[in-house]
Amino acid sequence: MKNAIIFGCGRIGTATYRKLKNQYSILAWSDNNESLWGSKKEGILIVQPIEIPELLKKENTDVFVAVENGKKIVEQLRSLQIKNIYIWKKTFFYLVDGLFPYKENTGMYYKKNKKEETHILFVSATAGIRDHKTAKAVKKTGKKVHLAYLKFSPYDIDSEYANIYEDIYSFMSIQALQDFIDNSDFDLVHSSSEPDYITALLARSNKPIIHDCHDLSSSNRTMFPEELTLEYIAHKEAVGVVYPTEGLRNEAIRRFGLSWDKTYVLENFTSEELIPHKKKEKISRFDGELHCVYEGAILEGDKASKRYFEEIWLKLARSGIHVHFYTNYDINYCHYLESMNPKIHFEGNLSSKQLSVELSKYDIGLCIYNTNDSNKLYLEHSSPNKLYEYVNAGIPVAVGNVECHRIFAEENGFGRQVNMDRELYPQMRTIAEIKIKERILQEKGFTFE
């Protein structure tokens, strides 16, 4: 077995360890964070970068730079005369000298025990809640579901969903993934990716591919020509395509010339098992102030992104409204957001079941996106999980200037639109007074089941 050193002790490093531990003997971790030196992670010593050359005296040792932007670290390692360096780029590892993809061991394929059973492989860079809910629903019909991932596993992000799958497979190159699919006994592959590179590449495999389009990327942001090509191939070559809303399906049919009968709409409803059986005491009952909450993805730096919330949250906080948020994004950025104003609070990252109860202690759920010309079309066809998850927790929703969100919230009595250019506190106080009926999502048929 070859040896490996993992540079980077964060989330990407942890995910890399999970992938490598069955293929390599992990000699050590390393990091530029001095406070980590001498401690252990997964029972393995964290060493100073300057100690790596001594460890490399062991033959057949590779160094994996497992951080978001690893260029400077590669230069640092090269200054130490270190070779055999692999660098993480978005999803895959590449050998630094020539950027050749990491070559994985192949030949381990999945073979059925019973030929009559239907086996479905779910494939994603990082499977999300929508993927897990779909897999669980399919499993209830008697099918066998498996998962292949390229970036983070359920154990890294959503460990509560890991037991859904018969097996969970990790891959560090698209070549190894395609080889595995071509030579395994799966009847169908469910692929979800954004952008759509995974589905586009797997369309050449010998298995039928279902593409689950979480986001229609070209309606959400400006894309390079090669990205537009991959999106077109993914929608056109898949045997079926699933969309979260009717509007998004109609837009895709118009753009790609798809036949209506190869498309399907599966809304981002919450699952019935997440309907909480108890509620928490409202924070506002103790301090008399207004507390709203956001849960989900955030994005740093890109002011054009729909998930860039700095200006929105700061405006709410300066109006005397507390903003609490739950996310699995980089913790350093989360603490930066907290530092902007004392009324902005990072609350960590919880499992879906924990969150369904935790959300109930707030007054309002935030579904106010950073809208602009590049993402407005997408948002008008979107069905955010959080719209349903806030109502599921029994709290009303504040929506922004996205018409479909306003119509959904106001027609169902779930919340109201907020005008960010007007005085915010009175608007939010009015929303907080909206009462959400118990189990209203089941009553209206707004559950995943």
Side-chain angles (χ1 to χ4, degrees), residues 5-270:
I5 297 167
I6 300 173
F7 195 110
C9 295
R11 284 204 322 165
I12 297 171
T14 302
T16 301
Y17 170 78
R18 291 190 192 280
K19 290 183 175 184
L20 294 181
K21 65 180 182 178
N22 294 323
Q23 301 179 45
Y24 281 83
S25 173
I26 311 298
L27 297 181
W29 299 81
S30 189
D31 202 285
N32 282 327
N33 184 346
E34 297 181 18
S35 66
L36 299 176
W37 297 346
S39 61
K40 289 186 176 182
K41 183 177 175 69
E42 303 290 346
I44 301 167
L45 189 65
I46 302 172
V47 302
Q48 301 179 44
I50 201 169
E51 296 179 62
I52 295 177
E54 183 65 27
L55 292 170
L56 290 177
K57 290 180 179 178
K58 264 200 167 185
E59 292 185 0
N60 295 322
T61 300
D62 295 328
V63 179
F64 290 83
V65 177
V67 297
E68 190 70 50
N69 297 301
K71 187 177 178 181
K72 288 185 178 179
I73 292 171
V74 168
E75 292 172 359
Q76 176 186 355
L77 295 176
R78 278 179 161 163
S79 72
L80 296 171
Q81 308 302 311
I82 295 171
K83 298 180 180 179
N84 285 6
I85 303 171
Y86 286 91
I87 186 170
W88 188 85
K89 286 186 173 290
K90 298 298 182 184
T91 301
F92 304 121
F93 275 97
Y94 294 87
L95 187 63
V96 167
D97 296 320
L99 283 185
F100 295 110
Y102 173 76
K103 189 174 182 180
E104 294 180 72
N105 295 325
T106 56
M108 300 294 289
Y109 309 117
Y110 180 76
K111 299 299 178 185
K112 289 184 185 181
N113 290 324
K114 296 180 180 179
K115 293 293 183 183
E116 68 274 11
E117 289 182 334
T118 300
H119 289 251
I120 300 172
L121 179 67
F122 283 71
V123 179
S124 183
T126 301
I129 301 299
R130 178 180 171 89
D131 302 305
H132 298 317
K133 288 192 295 187
T134 304
K136 192 164 188 176
V138 169
K139 185 176 182 178
K140 286 180 179 179
T141 71
K143 311 293 189 293
K144 301 292 184 181
V145 295
H146 308 250
L147 175 67
Y149 74 93
L150 299 166
K151 190 175 180 182
F152 295 117
S153 83
Y155 293 106
D156 299 313
I157 304 293
D158 300 301
S159 59
E160 64 187 294
Y161 294 104
N163 63 0
I164 295 172
Y165 303 96
E166 301 290 316
D167 299 285
I168 297 177
Y169 309 95
S170 67
F171 294 93
M172 296 172 68
S173 71
I174 200 71
Q175 295 92 331
L177 174 61
Q178 180 138 4
D179 176 71
F180 175 74
I181 289 173
D182 284 343
N183 291 285
S184 295
D185 288 340
F186 298 112
D187 300 287
L188 186 69
V189 175
H190 173 283
S191 174
S192 64
S193 60
E194 196 281 319
D196 304 312
Y197 65 97
I198 298 177
T199 305
L201 291 166
L202 295 185
R204 299 302 302 271
S205 73
N206 61 10
K207 302 295 190 298
I209 308 293
I210 296 290
H211 179 55
D212 195 335
C213 175
H214 294 200
D215 292 331
L216 188 59
S217 304
S218 57
S219 69
N220 187 19
R221 60 185 177 84
T222 302
M223 296 173 68
F224 294 111
E226 58 268 28
E227 293 177 303
L228 290 167
T229 301
L230 290 174
E231 183 181 70
Y232 175 80
I233 294 171
H235 287 77
K236 200 72 174 177
E237 296 299 318
V239 299
V241 191
V242 184
Y243 299 96
T245 66
E246 195 69 47
L248 211 58
R249 168 163 74 171
N250 292 337
E251 181 64 21
I253 289 174
R254 184 184 69 81
R255 289 187 182 210
F256 307 123
L258 305 179
S259 61
W260 188 87
D261 60 0
K262 74 173 280 184
T263 64
Y264 181 73
V265 173
L266 185 61
E267 292 268 1
N268 285 327
F269 296 139
T270 192

Side-chain angles (χ1 to χ4, degrees), residues 172-424:
M172 296 172 68
S173 71
I174 200 71
Q175 295 92 331
L177 174 61
Q178 180 138 4
D179 176 71
F180 175 74
I181 289 173
D182 284 343
N183 291 285
S184 295
D185 288 340
F186 298 112
D187 300 287
L188 186 69
V189 175
H190 173 283
S191 174
S192 64
S193 60
E194 196 281 319
D196 304 312
Y197 65 97
I198 298 177
T199 305
L201 291 166
L202 295 185
R204 299 302 302 271
S205 73
N206 61 10
K207 302 295 190 298
I209 308 293
I210 296 290
H211 179 55
D212 195 335
C213 175
H214 294 200
D215 292 331
L216 188 59
S217 304
S218 57
S219 69
N220 187 19
R221 60 185 177 84
T222 302
M223 296 173 68
F224 294 111
E226 58 268 28
E227 293 177 303
L228 290 167
T229 301
L230 290 174
E231 183 181 70
Y232 175 80
I233 294 171
H235 287 77
K236 200 72 174 177
E237 296 299 318
V239 299
V241 191
V242 184
Y243 299 96
T245 66
E246 195 69 47
L248 211 58
R249 168 163 74 171
N250 292 337
E251 181 64 21
I253 289 174
R254 184 184 69 81
R255 289 187 182 210
F256 307 123
L258 305 179
S259 61
W260 188 87
D261 60 0
K262 74 173 280 184
T263 64
Y264 181 73
V265 173
L266 185 61
E267 292 268 1
N268 285 327
F269 296 139
T270 192
S271 178
E272 287 182 6
E273 68 178 24
L274 295 180
I275 295 175
H277 298 293
K278 61 178 180 178
K279 301 284 178 67
K280 287 203 166 187
E281 197 80 23
K282 299 286 185 187
I283 301 174
S284 53
R285 289 193 63 181
F286 298 99
D287 63 12
E289 300 195 11
L290 200 54
H291 294 263
C292 59
V293 63
Y294 171 86
E295 66 87 8
I298 60 177
L299 193 63
E300 177 183 6
D302 184 1
K303 293 188 177 183
S305 169
K306 62 181 181 288
R307 294 194 175 98
Y308 177 77
F309 296 115
E310 289 186 23
E311 294 169 12
I312 295 170
W313 292 358
L314 198 53
K315 202 167 188 178
L316 288 165
R318 286 171 175 167
S319 299
I321 301 163
H322 290 271
V323 177
H324 303 258
F325 66 102
Y326 296 82
T327 186
N328 59 19
Y329 197 74
D330 178 69
I331 194 166
N332 292 320
Y333 180 57
C334 293
H335 290 320
Y336 166 75
L337 291 174
E338 276 192 309
S339 72
M340 294 195 307
N341 191 286
K343 289 188 182 295
I344 298 177
H345 317 276
F346 172 51
E347 304 291 355
N349 181 40
L350 299 179
S351 71
S352 298
K353 287 185 177 178
Q354 291 174 310
L355 200 57
S356 65
V357 176
E358 191 75 7
L359 291 175
S360 65
K361 69 184 183 183
Y362 300 105
D363 300 304
I364 302 167
L366 289 177
C367 193
I368 303 173
Y369 286 97
N370 177 37
T371 55
N372 51 60
D373 291 341
S374 65
N375 62 37
K376 192 69 181 291
L377 175 62
Y378 163 75
L379 286 169
E380 285 295 350
H381 295 319
S382 66
S383 173
N385 288 316
K386 58 187 59 56
L387 265 176
Y388 303 102
E389 288 164 3
Y390 296 144
V391 176
N392 180 53
I395 60 175
V397 184
V399 301
N401 62 338
V402 178
E403 187 65 8
C404 70
H405 297 174
R406 183 194 67 78
I407 292 171
F408 175 81
E410 294 183 359
E411 287 188 353
N412 288 287
F414 293 158
R416 293 183 64 176
Q417 184 179 23
V418 174
N419 187 330
M420 296 298 293
D421 295 324
R422 295 181 180 174
E423 192 176 354
L424 293 175

